[in-house]
Amino acid sequence: MDSPSDRFHQQPSQMCPFELYHSLPDSNPSSHRFSPSSLSSHPLFSPLMHPNSASQRWGSFRQRQGLFPGLLVDDDISEEDVFGKREFALGATPSSQRCHGERGQSSGPVPGNWGQDFGRAKRPRMDSAARNEEETGREGKRGRKSRALVRMGERKGAEQGNRRESREGRKRQRQELKLQLEETRGKLLELQRKVWRVYGGQADDEKGGEDEQENGPINLDEVAEMFSDSDDPLVSNGFSPPRCSSQKNNESNGNGNAEMFPETSVDLDLELNGDQVWLGCSLVRGEWESAEGGQKFAQALKQELANVVAQVIDRVVRLYAETDPSTVTSATVPQETSMTLDLNSDRRLRPQAVEQVEALPLVTKSPQDKRASIAQNVHKDLLLPQANPSLPPLPHPPLPALLPPRSKDHFLPSYPSENPVALPLLHYTMQNLFARSLSSLPLHKDCLSESFMDFRSHNSAFPPLPLLGQLDPSPSDRAREGGMRGGGAGMVDGGDAALYLAAGSISFYEIVQKNLHSQEGLSPCHLKKAKLMFFYTRYPSSSTLKTYFPDVKFNRCVTSQLIKWFSNFREFFYIQMERFARQAAREGLTSARERSLRLGRDTELYRILNMHYNKSNDYQVPERFVEISEVALREFFTAIQSGRDTDPCWKKAIYKIICKLDSPVPDSFRLPGCPTDTYRMG
DNA sequence: GGATAGCCTG
DNA sequence: CAGGCTATCC
């Protein structure tokens, strides 16, 4: 299975945090701005992902502030099932040609095609207009060449008639499109209102809000009603939703009605309020009359539709969830604790998170508290460093131990998911799906088109959200390891989502899953895992790699990339060892030298190694790795002291020693995803 | 000749 | 961290 497309079939390992209506990947305002050029290089994705206005960026930024930080989606679920359908590939393919050439036709059900459709719909009209212009010019010349005046008049009359007709046709089409958009928007607004009533209303309750009476729980029929052509309450009431108006007034109080919507266009940059839900559209009235406006129109339309679809799915899933008594509480009652927890980690990067989170209606509690307590309980048992100066290969590898998540790896936030349905995991826009799937495509440049890499670079500001299966191997993992230590009680089956989603009851998710799983390659999560594995094995065989990266579809490309990673890890390791050994060799006093040849956890060398292989510092560096590092350090030192370093091959002897000190990798690494996540949130 | 390690470079 | 290159091993 070395076909190039296989590379893209691997499951993604990360996703972007949920954004209600946006996907613009520049949560860091100082970087990754989408430039017009990058837009042009992403004919399908970027117009959707980056609705071209500063207000959108700002809105996106605002929306992203702490928005459902607990969200995660299990893309690892039903892996076999999905792998079985891998032929349903996303447009992205290993070669750039394919990426460019096939993206359009292969993007299938995703909204990226909408722009094309719109373009296709528009092109003939423009062509006909151009033809008319051309004809007019030709005919004018002909007329000057002594054609009969009468005939020319007739012809001109016919042309004018044609032009009028085509103009009217265009006008009609524009009107139809407008109508469609407005209907969609109306439905969306209604959905938003209901969502707000259900979720935002709860927040209001705490503040003494009085919307409760009319805040009945929304039911499926209401959702269905929203999508029935014949029965659109908004339309039938003569409600014409504003095109791009801020909904601040009505949405922010959770009690809005259509009449309160401002009719005039408002600059969303200025109008955005933290607690509102707004339409991600930057159209200005009349703007879509122009070609550029047409594009914006298409984008807005796509966005609105995507949002509505995402919300409906979310609603349906939630309804399912509520039938399960075990999930109903956390599914419906937002609690602040976990949000605070997440925000604490988020605030560092995005200081404006707080105001946004408080206002967001769909914030639900992720079961972190419970999980945190579990992790804390397990924690003590996991701290089992195995000091063994003699350094025989360990029959039972030390288990990874968790440190309190002091600093979270920005690209690997930890999102627990014991109760996946309780999370707003399904409430994300198609844009999010895209951003996620794209951001988790293979790292290998060989496999990527330039434009894709471009997108990735823009998208990298997302703190990608690893997928459930990858992120949360915890249930089985804990069962296996924590369980042995008397843990395991009170575990919640994190596979619920997997089962639930794998049931295939929601075709949308099948589609999404297919797309997301249709990728192959190594994700940042895999890199992180590889680095942690380096604590145990410096020279993993390819079979070892296959064992510990079960979620990776191995081919030559992936294997060599992984091997290269470990090669790089070793390189870094040995460079540091040599550096500190030389430093020690320069030490005059033997006592100081002796100290510098130690690798205490408070030493600079330890800090550097930990920083490199365990950047997020959420993994207890195995004692054995410390010991092996000391061995390497001393070997380098003695070699330098004895002048062996003049031999060009002097390091090889050291490598030989170190390579014998590999120890087995803990079983927790056998599961997909980052093993650290198993124990995090402690 | 393929796979891998290591070195160098960007 | 990846790519290119060489050396080495099987």
Side-chain angles (χ1 to χ4, degrees), chain A residues 20 114 167 202 238 277 285 288 313 377 400 454 481 485 497 500 538 545 590 667:
Chain A
L20 198 48
W114 298 357
R167 262 202 301 271
Q202 288 169 358
V277 187
R285 180 175 283 284
W288 59 41
I313 289 161
N377 290 336
D454 189 37
E481 296 187 341
R485 292 169 164 72
Y500 173 69
R538 269 62 55 188
L545 294 175
T590 44
D667 279 349

Side-chain angles (χ1 to χ4, degrees), chain A residues 5 81 92 120 123 159 190 224 369 465 470-471 544 606 622:
Chain A
S5 61
D81 186 32
R120 274 197 296 270
R123 230 172 283 126
E159 287 163 10
E190 189 60 26
D369 324 27
L465 195 55
Q470 290 202 301
L471 252 195
T544 302
Y606 176 87

Side-chain angles (χ1 to χ4, degrees), chain A residues 77-78 81-82 85 220 309-321 421 425-428 430 433 497-514:
Chain A
I77 53 151
S78 66
D81 186 32
V82 173
K85 300 168 187 167
L220 198 53
V309 170
Q311 289 204 355
V312 169
I313 289 161
D314 194 33
R315 178 75 38 76
V316 171
V317 168
R318 207 172 288 278
L319 283 165
Y320 273 99
V421 187
L425 79 155
L426 296 178
H427 191 137
Y428 46 78
M430 289 183 176
L433 294 173
L499 293 171
Y500 173 69
L501 289 175
S505 54
I506 301 178
S507 59
F508 174 79
Y509 279 95
E510 286 180 7
I511 293 165
V512 169
Q513 297 277 322
K514 281 177 202 166

Side-chain angles (χ1 to χ4, degrees), chain A residues 466-626:
Chain A
L467 305 176
L468 257 188
Q470 290 202 301
L471 252 195
D472 192 26
S474 48
S476 53
D477 211 0
R478 278 201 301 267
R480 195 186 312 175
E481 296 187 341
M484 287 192 306
R485 292 169 164 72
M491 275 181 221
V492 179
D493 184 9
D496 281 353
L499 293 171
Y500 173 69
L501 289 175
S505 54
I506 301 178
S507 59
F508 174 79
Y509 279 95
E510 286 180 7
I511 293 165
V512 169
Q513 297 277 322
K514 281 177 202 166
N515 275 320
L516 296 181
H517 279 283
S518 304
Q519 296 152 12
E520 206 170 274
L522 296 165
S523 69
C525 186
H526 294 125
L527 176 59
K528 180 174 180 166
K529 183 180 188 175
K531 284 180 168 183
L532 294 176
M533 273 178 68
F534 186 77
F535 284 147
Y536 300 96
T537 173
R538 269 62 55 188
Y539 294 84
S541 65
S542 45
S543 66
T544 302
L545 294 175
K546 280 169 185 156
T547 303
Y548 292 99
F549 289 93
D551 54 339
V552 172
K553 185 162 174 57
F554 278 83
N555 56 33
R556 208 184 302 169
C557 174
V558 166
T559 305
S560 57
Q561 190 185 0
L562 261 173
I563 287 170
K564 181 67 181 176
W565 279 359
F566 275 87
S567 175
N568 288 332
F569 300 160
R570 284 193 299 272
E571 193 174 13
F572 181 84
F573 178 78
Y574 289 131
I575 285 172
Q576 299 307 320
M577 293 304 137
E578 183 182 356
R579 182 181 145 210
F580 278 81
R582 290 193 184 280
Q583 195 174 302
R586 284 196 298 271
E587 299 276 352
L589 295 170
T590 44
S591 59
R593 182 181 298 167
E594 195 54 34
R595 266 202 311 276
S596 59
L597 287 175
R598 299 285 303 173
L599 197 73
R601 292 179 187 257
D602 56 344
T603 60
E604 172 73 359
L605 179 53
Y606 176 87
R607 194 190 63 76
I608 289 172
L609 294 175
N610 189 48
M611 183 63 84
H612 190 74
Y613 303 113
N614 184 28
K615 197 169 188 173
S616 54
N617 199 27
D618 51 5
Y619 200 90
Q620 177 84 9
V621 178
E623 184 62 27
R624 185 172 164 79
F625 177 73
V626 175

Side-chain angles (χ1 to χ4, degrees), chain A residues 91-237:
Chain A
T93 58
S95 76
S96 54
Q97 305 100 289
R98 288 200 66 192
C99 280
H100 286 300
E102 298 181 10
R103 189 176 291 175
Q105 51 183 304
S106 56
S107 47
V110 297
N113 259 359
W114 298 357
Q116 268 204 346
D117 294 341
F118 182 84
R120 274 197 296 270
K122 191 173 177 178
R123 230 172 283 126
R125 296 201 298 273
M126 298 187 66
D127 289 347
S128 99
R131 262 199 314 274
N132 281 335
E133 291 296 327
E134 213 176 279
E135 261 182 39
T136 308
R138 272 203 307 272
E139 296 300 336
K141 279 182 193 169
R142 231 178 280 158
R144 279 195 299 275
K145 287 182 180 177
S146 72
R147 294 272 178 196
L149 279 176
V150 179
R151 204 173 158 194
M152 194 173 84
E154 285 172 359
R155 197 182 280 267
K156 276 189 175 175
E159 287 163 10
Q160 281 171 356
N162 285 340
R163 275 203 298 271
R164 248 199 317 279
E165 272 179 31
S166 89
R167 262 202 301 271
E168 282 168 7
R170 286 200 298 269
K171 212 169 182 175
R172 264 201 308 278
Q173 284 175 344
R174 276 202 299 268
Q175 290 295 337
E176 283 168 16
L177 282 172
K178 281 183 202 174
L179 259 174
Q180 283 172 18
L181 173 64
E182 289 176 356
E183 282 175 24
T184 308
R185 190 183 301 275
K187 288 167 184 173
L188 171 66
L189 296 184
E190 189 60 26
L191 266 175
Q192 288 177 338
R193 263 184 234 112
K194 294 190 183 218
V195 165
W196 173 247
R197 272 184 226 133
V198 171
Y199 298 101
Q202 288 169 358
D204 275 357
D205 291 346
E206 292 164 15
K207 303 176 205 161
E210 61 224 28
D211 303 331
E212 187 53 40
Q213 304 91 319
E214 59 184 59
N215 290 353
I218 192 164
N219 62 38
L220 198 53
D221 292 339
E222 287 175 330
V223 178
E225 182 188 53
M226 225 94 67
F227 284 84
S228 76
D229 287 331
S230 56
D231 187 14
D232 187 337
L234 296 171
V235 173
S236 61
N237 290 342

Side-chain angles (χ1 to χ4, degrees), chain A residues 436-452:
Chain A
R436 190 159 60 95
S437 62
L438 288 172
S439 63
S440 57
L441 282 171
L443 295 172
H444 212 271
K445 279 180 198 161
D446 288 346
C447 310
L448 300 173
S449 72
E450 205 177 14
S451 59
F452 172 71

